[in-house]
Amino acid sequence: MTPRRWTLRRRVTALVIALVALVAATMGTVSTYALQGSLVDQLDERLVATSDRGMNAARPPRGEDRDEPPPALSVPGQGAGTLTLTVDGAQTVAGYLDDDGTFEPLTIEQQDALTEAAADGEVRTVAVPGLGDFRVLARTDPDGVLLVTGLSLADVQHTVRDYLLAEGAVALAGMALAALGAGILVRREMRPLERVARTATRVAELPLHSGAVSLAERVPEADTDPATEVGQVGAALNRMLGHVEDALAARHDSETQVRQFVADASHELRTPLASIRGYAELVRRRPEGVPDEAQHAMARVESESRRMTTLVEDMLLLARLDAGRPLARAEVDLVVLAVEAVADAHAASPAHRWRLDVPDDGATVVVDEDRLRQVLVNLLANARVHTPAGTTVDLAVRRGAGSVVVEVRDDGPGVPDDLRPRLFQRFTRGDEGRTRRPAGAEPSTGLGLAIVDSVVRAHGGTIVLAESKSGSGAAFVVTLPGAVSGSG
Ligand SMILES: Nc1ncnc2c1ncn2[C@@H]1O[C@H](COP(=O)(O)OP(=O)(O)OP(=O)(O)O)[C@@H](O)[C@H]1O
Ligand SMILES: [Mg+2]
């Protein structure tokens, strides 16, 4: 799994916070070291002065009480936090002035920590048990007396700690402000991009695949300023939308022209076809004096012209459906249509068994009556033409919730498998030899189901070939949407 990438807003905010933190840490470290160094230097200067005063003080009388402050500590000028240790031969006197300036003797352990410091005149830091860190200077006077002087580092450490705390607080506040600022800035800068994205999303949701498409969506003028990166994206998107709109318009124009041509051609063909049929009929009715061979030829002309008329009517109907002509909408009882269609089918082929299953109180929907009748006629014609005599054909009408279902089912040979994928496409028809067709039956063009599909879709419905294994018959299920009511 790839880790989810952060949004730009989040990344910029995080980067700004990290940079502020880095700068604050660097500045804090450098300035803290500088402050500490200068404070320790000052302390060291005071330490040398304190040590000088201690060296000038009188030697402690030998054998004096250890609890008295040693002279090096009681000379004027020695302040709180000062400690001294004097080693004069075998005698050691050591003491410490606490925060209140009160004298405290040093324990043996504390003295040991101090005597470990070498008497080389160098100032160093010594941790005195129980008292904390001290800057310590050890010196030996010409009489061989060792004087160790120390000044507490506590004040310096306090100051540095306070400084660090203040600096940390400022750094945190700075980071919070930077995060807020970055968030607001990025959000403001992103808003135009979000608008551009919204435009693209709206375009993506438009149905562009067919028909007349109005592609009016554009990125707002304010978001197409080429001086900004987002503006460049917006302007590019607008240019692209312009091109797409032109291309779609060109496609629609050429589609319309082709449709118009088919419709016009079909329309124009009707009149000459009617004349041809009429003359051929005339010869059939008045055969006197016409040789047998010519009569036969005229019969062929008549049947072919009838076939061509059907083809032309179908093509005209499809061209009109393609053009999206508005349907004639009226309340139609599908049960009435079904009864009529089955009666006609029975008249056309009494050799089939016709069965009807409809609701008693009707099924009224708002549809184009002529087109719907054609749907039933085409489906029943298929069940009649593409099945052998004796086949049972069921026509059922069912009312559903907000829809009506019409099913035409037969127990004939079924739709050949190779036809199924393109069954509803134009000019799809089965191998003539495989379907045993009654003599004199109307010729097949392969437009019947294409028309059914177009009509049903124009009504917002669907048609499917119900799943059935080849050989167990064909079942076409038409679902039409719309409020359905019984007439009773
Ligand atoms: N009920 C059915 N049983 C078996 N095959 C069918 C059935 N209905 C359709 N078919 C097959 O589907 C093909 C296409 O049907 P369609 O109605 O579109 O064209 P057609 O019947 O051949 O010609 P047209 O209806 O234009 O006169 C048919 O040629 C036939 O092979
Ligand atoms: Mg057909």
Side-chain angles (χ1 to χ4, degrees):
M1 209 180 87
T2 46
R4 264 191 74 164
R5 277 176 60 90
W6 279 7
T7 59
L8 183 61
R9 188 181 308 163
R10 231 194 225 191
R11 274 181 284 160
V12 169
T13 309
L15 185 73
V16 167
I17 292 178
L19 281 178
V20 170
L22 186 72
V23 170
T26 312
M27 271 171 54
T29 312
V30 172
S31 60
T32 306
Y33 271 115
L35 175 72
Q36 190 173 8
S38 115
L39 288 176
V40 169
D41 282 350
Q42 285 174 23
L43 191 69
D44 287 354
E45 276 170 28
R46 273 175 50 213
L47 177 64
V48 173
T50 308
S51 173
D52 286 346
R53 285 194 292 273
M55 292 291 271
N56 294 335
R59 293 286 155 272
R62 293 186 183 233
E64 199 161 293
D65 187 353
R66 255 173 44 84
D67 287 345
E68 279 300 301
L73 201 55
S74 46
V75 282
Q78 314 298 59
T82 309
L83 63 73
T84 62
L85 175 125
T86 316
V87 184
D88 187 0
Q91 191 191 28
T92 299
V93 187
Y96 164 70
L97 292 179
D98 69 10
D99 287 348
D100 308 326
T102 318
F103 167 73
E104 300 279 352
L106 293 186
T107 62
I108 300 297
E109 200 191 5
Q110 290 167 339
Q111 292 175 14
D112 287 348
L114 287 168
T115 46
E116 266 163 30
D120 55 3
E122 289 285 317
V123 181
R124 52 171 56 75
T125 301
V126 173
V128 179
L131 294 180
D133 289 339
F134 279 75
R135 291 293 280 175
V136 168
L137 177 62
R139 289 148 116 191
T140 319
D141 74 0
D143 302 336
V145 178
L146 172 74
L147 174 66
V148 180
T149 315
L151 283 181
S152 173
L153 271 169
D155 280 350
V156 173
Q157 285 167 344
H158 272 139
T159 308
V160 169
R161 188 171 340 116
D162 287 352
Y163 177 74
L164 268 180
L165 280 177
E167 215 169 26
V170 170
L172 280 181
M175 275 151 68
L177 271 178
L180 195 73
I184 290 173
L185 186 77
V186 173
R187 184 170 313 192
R188 216 189 57 198
E189 293 300 307
M190 281 303 174
R191 223 168 276 150
L193 195 59
E194 281 164 12
R195 283 198 293 270
V196 171
R198 271 204 295 279
T199 305
T201 310
R202 278 199 299 276
V203 171
E205 283 162 358
L206 291 177
L208 300 180
H209 55 279
S210 67
V213 174
S214 85
L215 196 57
E217 287 291 349
R218 287 292 186 281
V219 176
E221 195 71 39
D223 297 332
T224 58
D225 179 4
T228 66
E229 289 86 344
V230 176
Q232 288 166 14
V233 174
L237 187 66
N238 276 355
R239 272 201 305 281
M240 192 191 80
L241 288 175
H243 286 320
V244 171
E245 190 179 35
D246 290 349
L248 288 175
R251 183 195 71 182
H252 182 65
D253 283 352
S254 80
E255 272 178 7
T256 314
Q257 278 173 14
V258 170
R259 253 187 233 130
Q260 195 57 46
F261 173 74
V262 173
D264 291 349
S266 313
H267 191 76
E268 291 301 318
L269 283 171
R270 283 161 125 191
T271 323
L273 272 173
S275 323
I276 295 173
R277 231 176 33 238
Y279 285 117
E281 248 178 72
L282 198 69
V283 173
R284 176 158 52 81
R285 292 213 187 105
R286 302 244 174 82
E288 304 89 22
V290 181
D292 280 356
E293 221 165 284
Q295 275 185 40
H296 177 71
M298 280 328 267
R300 292 292 300 143
V301 168
E302 192 185 344
S303 87
E304 286 302 300
S305 65
R306 190 163 290 133
R307 169 177 149 89
M308 205 167 162
T309 306
T310 317
L311 182 62
V312 162
E313 294 292 343
D314 284 355
M315 277 166 52
L316 186 59
L317 176 55
L318 275 173
R320 284 177 177 165
L321 285 169
D322 284 350
R325 280 224 199 156
L327 301 161
R329 297 272 187 180
E331 287 204 347
V332 177
D333 189 352
L334 283 184
V335 170
V336 175
L337 282 191
V339 170
E340 287 171 6
V342 167
D344 291 349
H346 186 264
S349 174
H352 283 74
R353 281 188 65 207
W354 301 96
R355 295 196 305 205
L356 194 58
D357 175 15
V358 293
D360 293 338
D361 53 351
T364 303
V365 275
V366 177
V367 289
D368 186 323
E369 180 168 1
D370 290 341
R371 305 264 153 95
L372 246 289
R373 180 176 291 118
Q374 178 130 30
V375 165
L376 294 184
V377 166
N378 284 8
L379 290 176
L380 290 177
N382 280 352
R384 173 166 56 86
V385 172
H386 304 295
T387 59
T391 302
T392 304
V393 184
D394 290 293
L395 171 59
V397 177
R398 286 188 296 271
R399 290 205 307 261
S403 68
V404 63
V405 176
V406 179
E407 184 176 341
V408 178
R409 177 185 292 275
D410 64 63
D411 61 357
V415 177
D417 282 342
D418 57 328
L419 286 192
R420 285 166 175 258
R422 50 197 172 87
L423 188 59
F424 298 103
Q425 287 171 19
R426 287 151 203 208
F427 298 111
T428 295
R429 56 187 157 163
D431 179 0
E432 297 280 313
R434 269 161 68 177
T435 49
R436 275 168 290 147
R437 318 192 51 200
E442 61 267 45
S444 157
T445 59
L447 289 178
L449 287 177
I451 289 173
V452 170
D453 184 54
S454 281
V455 171
V456 169
R457 274 197 287 123
H459 282 88
T462 57
I463 175 163
V464 289
L465 174 63
E467 214 36 67
S468 70
K469 285 196 199 88
S470 195
S472 63
F476 291 90
V477 181
V478 175
T479 309
L480 292 170
V484 190
S485 62
S487 56

